[in-house]
Amino acid sequence: RGYIFQSSEIYGGTGSVWDYGPLGVELKRNLKDAWWRRMVRMRDDVEGLDAAILMHPKTWEASGHVDGFTDPLVDCSNCRRRFRADLPEVADGQCPVCGTRDAFGEARQFNLMFKTFMGPVEEDANVVYLRPETAQGIFVNFQNVVTSARQRVPFGIAQIGKAFRNEITPGNFIFRTREFEQAEMQFFVKPGEDEEAFEYWKAERMQFHRSLGLDESKLRFHPHGDDELAHYAKAAFDIEYEFPFGWKEFEGIHNRTDFDLARHEEYSGKRMEYIDPTTNDRYTPFVIETSMGVDRSLLVVLADGYREEEVEGDERVVLGISPKLAPVKAAVFPLVKKDGMPEIAEKLSAALRDAAIPSFLDASGSIGRRYRRQDEAGTPFCVTVDGQTTDDDTVTIRDRDSLEQVRVSTDQVIPWIQERIR
Ligand code: ATP
């Protein structure tokens, strides 16, 4: 239906990179908008930011990525493929591709950052990295935001943007890719108030996912044990979803302590501390981070919404996603191509467009076929202009999930839909 295409498909595709098609881009945008609305616009203690992908290379020394952002990698001497040494089969000594046992050499550390050069000279002095996380753009701008937005701790900075990781074993469709988007928020608090803020953000983020209508029995927290904690973290919880391929993380909540600000202070020589304007207390704030993968969340939405079912003896495929997120909110059908029905449908469709409600006008094929196409695309409402419309100026609106049809007067269609897609 046009959700996701393989990148550069006409050339055979490129490894683990995907393009969002006409429906996919709308779904992704709606998901990011829902996040931005709740995390930035509806709060007065979080500011937005859009930092650049390319940053000063020292950023990544300070953050620990140059030295520490590595995965252990092994080569199979039989099939020559490379794997993460910590994959269960590999750790067990068997190659997941050719099945050979004990053919792995020594594990080597492999840095996951993409490296490139800034300017025309390709030498070490000009190395820059594609950012592997958006968070560092927030830390380096901490003082800029404090002074320009006149925020007081506790407050947060949020941004959505691309991140790149040269993953050794990407896969599971858009679950693990080399180019992806993150929606991250760093909340700055006074040391000592970090644990309370951590609990608050854990609950708030779970509430966000519930508000998207996801199946609650497929959502859970996974606390990180000491062996899983990142170098900067004091505590971390993943939010996991039960994908068809198992329970997996799609958002992380981390207590990053004052690690990042302190390191940037050390590497840049610039003060990163905060001075409380009322008490004159000086301290380096602790950071509670919420880090959601946009593409992974989109996969959650697709996996959660997809179902195949039987309706009146017919198989149907339904993408039962929340009307808030659905790319197309309403389809408009003239029942038949005569008796003025196409013209009324045309007018209704133009009115929906004017109201910025994404809609789709479809006059081809049987009404059943038209419903099925919209069910598959996830369109929550189908509006049909029929013989009665010319008599009493009403249309039917059919609900994707309950299949119920109601008659609504034509001039009420827009408010009726608006109320249900908020
Ligand atoms: P994983 O253990 O799966 O590699 P991570 O713990 O390294 O993930 P974080 O660094 O905490 O992930 O990143 C936060 C979020 O960014 C993840 O929850 C995930 O949704 C997303 N993310 C991270 N790496 C990728 C990737 N390669 N492809 C898609 N999304 C990713």
Side-chain angles (χ1 to χ4, degrees):
R1 292 289 162 214
Y3 270 94
I4 298 171
F5 305 126
Q6 199 175 4
S7 159
S8 328
E9 193 174 341
I10 60 167
Y11 291 105
T14 180
S16 277
V17 188
W18 303 90
D19 297 340
Y20 290 87
L23 294 181
V25 66
E26 289 289 340
L27 175 59
K28 199 178 191 196
R29 205 169 266 250
N30 293 341
L31 185 59
K32 289 191 282 186
D33 283 351
W35 188 89
W36 192 261
R37 203 165 46 241
R38 188 164 173 134
M39 296 294 281
V40 183
R41 295 228 166 123
M42 292 176 68
R43 305 185 64 102
D44 58 10
D45 59 353
V46 177
E47 301 288 337
L49 183 79
D50 184 14
I53 289 170
L54 301 176
M55 301 181 67
H56 193 289
K58 267 198 147 173
T59 309
W60 306 109
E61 289 174 34
S63 68
H65 284 81
V66 171
D67 287 338
F69 194 53
T70 53
D71 274 345
L73 170 147
V74 287
D75 292 302
C76 171
S77 60
N78 183 47
C79 70
R80 310 248 160 242
R81 290 215 170 63
R82 292 191 161 164
F83 306 95
R84 269 170 69 158
D86 54 1
L87 288 177
E89 314 92 291
V90 177
D92 222 31
Q94 183 160 21
C95 175
V97 171
C98 69
T100 313
R101 288 207 70 90
D102 302 323
F104 298 124
E106 278 285 293
R108 287 176 292 134
Q109 290 301 321
F110 172 78
N111 197 297
L112 301 185
M113 283 197 293
F114 279 95
K115 235 187 210 179
T116 186
F117 299 95
M118 193 173 259
V121 186
E122 296 195 4
E123 60 183 24
D124 283 354
N126 297 331
V127 163
V128 288
Y129 300 97
L130 301 188
R131 66 179 176 200
E133 62 177 25
T134 56
Q136 299 303 325
I138 287 178
F139 296 128
V140 300
N141 278 295
F142 171 68
Q143 295 293 14
N144 287 339
V145 176
V146 170
T147 35
S148 58
R150 299 172 60 214
Q151 278 286 358
R152 291 186 179 191
V153 170
F155 79 97
I157 307 177
Q159 78 170 326
I160 300 177
K162 290 268 186 175
F164 302 82
R165 295 183 188 177
N166 199 3
E167 301 275 3
I168 305 163
T169 32
N172 278 328
F173 193 29
I174 56 169
F175 179 82
R176 185 182 303 284
T177 53
R178 297 194 168 108
E179 171 178 347
F180 56 98
E181 241 175 323
Q182 289 186 315
E184 292 198 306
M185 193 274 314
Q186 272 68 38
F187 200 75
F188 300 90
V189 299
K190 191 172 179 178
E193 291 172 9
D194 49 311
E195 287 176 18
E196 195 184 321
F198 186 76
E199 290 308 315
Y200 168 83
W201 282 106
K202 246 176 74 188
E204 164 58 20
R205 293 305 304 147
M206 187 59 106
Q207 200 47 43
F208 170 79
H209 298 299
R210 293 202 182 110
S211 78
L212 302 179
L214 300 175
D215 179 348
E216 295 199 13
S217 71
K218 293 188 168 175
L219 288 169
R220 74 176 186 196
F221 285 115
H222 165 76
H224 280 207
D226 287 343
D227 53 333
E228 284 173 283
L229 277 183
H231 59 281
Y232 52 75
K234 170 173 158 187
F237 271 73
D238 293 338
I239 301 182
E240 294 188 338
Y241 180 79
E242 191 178 14
F243 288 98
F245 46 89
W247 285 97
K248 301 274 182 210
E249 160 191 355
F250 68 108
E251 168 153 2
I253 323 283
H254 311 123
N255 183 341
R256 294 182 78 126
T257 68
D258 60 359
F259 176 84
D260 303 88
L261 289 181
R263 291 276 287 200
H264 285 302
E265 181 165 305
E266 182 187 336
Y267 279 72
S268 69
K270 299 279 175 348
R271 282 237 174 269
M272 285 291 172
E273 65 181 12
Y274 173 76
I275 305 171
D276 188 307
T278 39
T279 61
N280 278 328
D281 271 1
R282 288 167 172 262
Y283 56 87
T284 306
F286 270 37
V287 171
I288 306 304
E289 163 181 86
T290 72
S291 176
M292 176 182 100
V294 175
D295 312 79
R296 257 190 218 179
S297 300
L298 191 140
L299 188 60
V300 168
V301 170
L302 290 178
D304 199 74
Y306 186 89
R307 59 180 197 268
E308 292 167 14
E309 61 188 21
E310 206 169 286
V311 174
E312 292 150 10
D314 267 352
E315 276 273 318
R316 74 164 186 162
V317 170
V318 189
L319 192 58
I321 57 183
S322 156
K324 271 198 274 205
L325 296 179
V328 176
K329 309 297 185 192
V332 183
F333 306 150
L335 185 61
V336 289
K337 286 191 205 161
K338 56 178 189 185
D339 302 333
M341 292 180 216
E343 291 74 19
I344 299 173
E346 192 77 63
K347 257 179 75 181
L348 195 54
S349 168
L352 285 161
R353 238 187 343 266
D354 280 349
I357 298 174
S359 62
F360 187 79
L361 178 67
D362 191 358
S364 65
S366 73
I367 196 84
R369 289 263 301 280
R370 285 183 260 170
Y371 280 147
R372 296 292 170 270
R373 287 199 285 258
Q374 296 305 321
D375 291 343
E376 253 185 62
T379 308
F381 307 113
C382 290
V383 183
T384 303
V385 174
D386 58 17
Q388 202 179 317
T389 309
T390 39
D391 292 340
D392 64 3
D393 221 3
T394 61
V395 291
T396 64
I397 304 183
R398 170 228 192 226
D399 182 279
R400 175 196 65 204
D401 300 318
S402 69
L403 300 172
E404 260 170 41
Q405 300 199 20
V406 289
R407 281 207 89 85
V408 174
S409 117
T410 314
D411 62 2
Q412 286 306 304
V413 169
I414 288 175
W416 191 97
I417 292 171
Q418 269 164 341
E419 202 176 301
R420 288 163 176 82
I421 60 177
R422 263 201 273 274

